[in-house]
Amino acid sequence: MKILILNGPNLNLIGKREPEIYGNQSLDEYFEVVKKRFQDCKIDTFQSNHEGVLIDKLHEAMGKYDGIVMNPGGYAHTSIALADAIRAIGIPVVEVHISNIYEREEYRHHSYTAEAAVKSIVGKGLEGYSEAILYLIKK
Ligand code: CA2
């Protein structure tokens, strides 16, 4: 099974800033653990701070991946374009948020991209990415 883990803006700073919200492990460190944990899967990771680059990556995923785990970062709350891309590609996307967006500022409570995803996992820390992969495997 081939899985793409796609991360949006500012997630490259995880582990370096605001540890009280996001913890102190970087995504790169965590994804090394994930790749060892799910050795039967081929897992690629990609991060961008740019909406169009994320949309291009979703388009390029067609025919290449069986599932996508996506943390759209702040774009979850603003981007109809990313939600459209998720709907367009026909690959199951599981949305992950490290923090519990429903217990934070009100402007984080709604996610356009989650409406297009098959499932949303929030507030489980970095382990939410593993839970999303398990969901895709079982699906
Ligand atoms: O909880 C999540 O995973 C989020 O997607 C993280 C986003 C935020 O905009 C979403 O509402 C929820 C932020 C990405 C990380 O931003 C940082 C900001 C300061 C220091 C470190 C990371």
Side-chain angles (χ1 to χ4, degrees):
M1 181 168 195
K2 285 199 74 181
I3 292 176
L4 173 65
I5 303 178
L6 194 52
N7 284 292
N10 299 311
L11 285 154
N12 52 315
L13 298 179
I14 293 288
K16 298 182 188 129
R17 301 276 168 87
E18 296 193 8
E20 65 285 1
I21 300 176
Y22 301 112
N24 46 30
Q25 190 174 23
S26 76
L27 286 189
D28 285 346
E29 285 165 358
Y30 181 71
F31 293 149
E32 285 311 307
V33 174
V34 165
K35 284 176 185 174
K36 286 191 184 126
R37 195 179 276 170
F38 297 102
Q39 288 186 15
D40 290 345
C41 294
K42 169 85 174 75
I43 298 176
D44 293 330
T45 61
F46 183 80
Q47 187 273 334
S48 175
N49 294 319
H50 304 280
E51 186 176 20
V53 174
L54 293 165
I55 291 170
D56 286 344
K57 200 72 188 174
L58 285 168
H59 292 180
E60 287 164 18
M62 282 188 284
K64 277 196 202 159
Y65 294 97
D66 305 299
I68 298 174
V69 175
M70 182 170 191
N71 184 343
Y75 285 143
H77 319 299
T78 63
S79 180
I80 293 170
L82 266 174
D84 285 342
I86 291 169
R87 287 193 182 93
I89 59 175
I91 303 170
V93 173
V94 178
E95 178 157 313
V96 170
H97 290 285
I98 299 163
S99 62
N100 187 342
I101 54 174
Y102 303 108
E103 289 180 353
R104 299 185 63 189
E105 303 92 333
E106 201 166 337
Y107 58 79
R108 296 187 201 272
H109 292 186
H110 178 256
S111 168
Y112 289 103
T113 45
E115 287 177 359
V118 293
K119 187 176 171 63
S120 175
I121 296 167
V122 307
K124 303 263 178 91
L126 296 184
E127 282 300 300
Y129 289 92
S130 288
E131 194 176 317
I133 292 168
L134 272 177
Y135 177 86
L136 287 169
I137 291 169
K138 284 182 187 158
K139 200 173 183 289

